[in-house]
Amino acid sequence: MVWSKIKKRLMNLICDPLRSRIDFHVISYRKAHDQMGRAVMTVDKAEVFNMCSMTSMREEYYREKEIRRERGEDGSDVETILAIQALAHEQLLHEGIYARYDFFSVVDDYIQSPIRELLKSDDVLVKALTMLDRRVGKRTLCRWKDFIQEEHPLVQRLYMLRCEVENIQIKHSGETELPY
């Protein structure tokens, strides 16, 4: 599917108070190998999350090297190499280091999944998008207060932004109050 159609579907899932403040951009580097690039999430036109393919690939290379060193692997077996690559990639996703192609994959799954499944996800980008989703109500947001401090900084930031626009008061003691 074309990016403009994907972006339109994604933006339709963002809650009304944030729709004009959140944006997504896909940037291609034409002179780069395979026209790699990055995807960017912005809040109030300031970049808050960068998903650069080159950065992700570099970090994955170093992570693979580290895993091989820890395991004492020489990297001669194809199955072992593929397993280490998959492990390194999963670790980076868990830490919130995405490539542009990961962004497209996550967004495609996100758009097609029911909100109940999305709320159970461990993926950083899925949780971040869920914080912005119009299908997530105030009561669900209030339930997140107990464990939001354990989440990735992006998820925390978007949670605070969503609570702000929904007028959900977060008390210093960790309690949340609905405005009604």
Side-chain angles (χ1 to χ4, degrees), residues 111-130:
I111 289 171
Q112 296 177 25
S113 299
I115 195 66
R116 289 186 188 268
E117 282 182 30
L118 298 172
L119 289 168
K120 297 174 187 174
S121 177
D122 290 330
D123 189 280
V124 172
L125 187 54
V126 170
K127 285 182 182 180
L129 293 172
T130 303

Side-chain angles (χ1 to χ4, degrees), residues 1 21 36 58 68 74 106 108 114:
M1 192 181 288
R21 297 178 64 185
M36 288 189 177
R58 181 186 67 233
R68 274 194 216 98
D74 62 354
V106 168
D108 187 46

Side-chain angles (χ1 to χ4, degrees), residues 51-67:
M51 296 154 277
C52 180
S53 298
M54 289 184 264
T55 301
S56 175
M57 290 173 72
R58 181 186 67 233
E59 292 299 320
E60 190 171 316
Y61 169 78
Y62 288 124
R63 188 64 54 94
E64 287 174 27
K65 200 172 173 180
E66 182 182 314
I67 293 169

Side-chain angles (χ1 to χ4, degrees), residues 1 35-36 45 66 79-80 88-89 92 94 96 118 120 131-132 142 157:
M1 192 181 288
Q35 293 186 2
M36 288 189 177
K45 299 186 183 191
E66 182 182 314
E79 289 180 21
T80 305
H89 189 75
L92 292 177
H94 183 70
L118 298 172
K120 297 174 187 174
M131 291 297 111
L132 306 171
C142 287
R157 181 176 183 176

Side-chain angles (χ1 to χ4, degrees), residues 5-172:
K5 289 182 181 180
I6 295 169
K7 182 177 178 179
K8 185 176 181 178
R9 290 182 68 191
L10 182 59
M11 293 302 289
N12 284 336
L13 291 174
I14 294 179
C15 68
D16 288 337
L18 289 175
R19 198 167 287 159
S20 64
R21 297 178 64 185
I22 303 291
D23 205 0
F24 300 93
H25 305 277
V26 174
I27 301 142
S28 294
Y29 301 129
R30 291 190 178 131
K31 293 185 180 183
H33 175 67
D34 291 340
Q35 293 186 2
M36 288 189 177
R38 62 192 185 114
V40 177
M41 179 189 298
T42 62
V43 175
D44 298 326
K45 299 186 183 191
E47 188 176 301
V48 294
F49 198 54
N50 181 3
M51 296 154 277
C52 180
S53 298
M54 289 184 264
T55 301
S56 175
M57 290 173 72
R58 181 186 67 233
E59 292 299 320
E60 190 171 316
Y61 169 78
Y62 288 124
R63 188 64 54 94
E64 287 174 27
K65 200 172 173 180
E66 182 182 314
I67 293 169
R68 274 194 216 98
R69 184 183 49 77
E70 288 174 356
R71 292 183 174 183
E73 297 283 345
D74 62 354
S76 59
D77 180 20
V78 174
E79 289 180 21
T80 305
I81 292 170
L82 293 175
I84 290 173
Q85 284 177 339
L87 178 60
H89 189 75
E90 282 301 313
Q91 287 178 359
L92 292 177
L93 292 179
H94 183 70
E95 294 172 19
I97 301 173
Y98 290 80
R100 186 176 79 166
Y101 53 84
D102 293 322
F103 170 71
F104 283 117
S105 176
V106 168
V107 167
D108 187 46
D109 290 343
Y110 183 82
I111 289 171
Q112 296 177 25
S113 299
I115 195 66
R116 289 186 188 268
E117 282 182 30
L118 298 172
L119 289 168
K120 297 174 187 174
S121 177
D122 290 330
D123 189 280
V124 172
L125 187 54
V126 170
K127 285 182 182 180
L129 293 172
T130 303
M131 291 297 111
L132 306 171
D133 200 305
R134 64 182 164 80
R135 299 172 290 175
V136 175
K138 292 179 182 181
R139 280 181 274 178
T140 303
L141 287 171
C142 287
R143 279 184 248 142
W144 274 65
K145 72 173 171 50
D146 295 331
F147 52 89
I148 195 68
Q149 296 303 320
E150 300 167 11
E151 297 296 335
H152 186 274
L154 174 67
V155 177
Q156 291 179 21
R157 181 176 183 176
L158 296 177
Y159 174 79
M160 296 302 286
L161 179 65
R162 179 71 186 272
C163 287
E164 176 188 317
V165 299
E166 298 287 357
N167 293 321
I168 299 172
Q169 304 296 320
I170 300 173
K171 293 183 176 182
H172 294 294

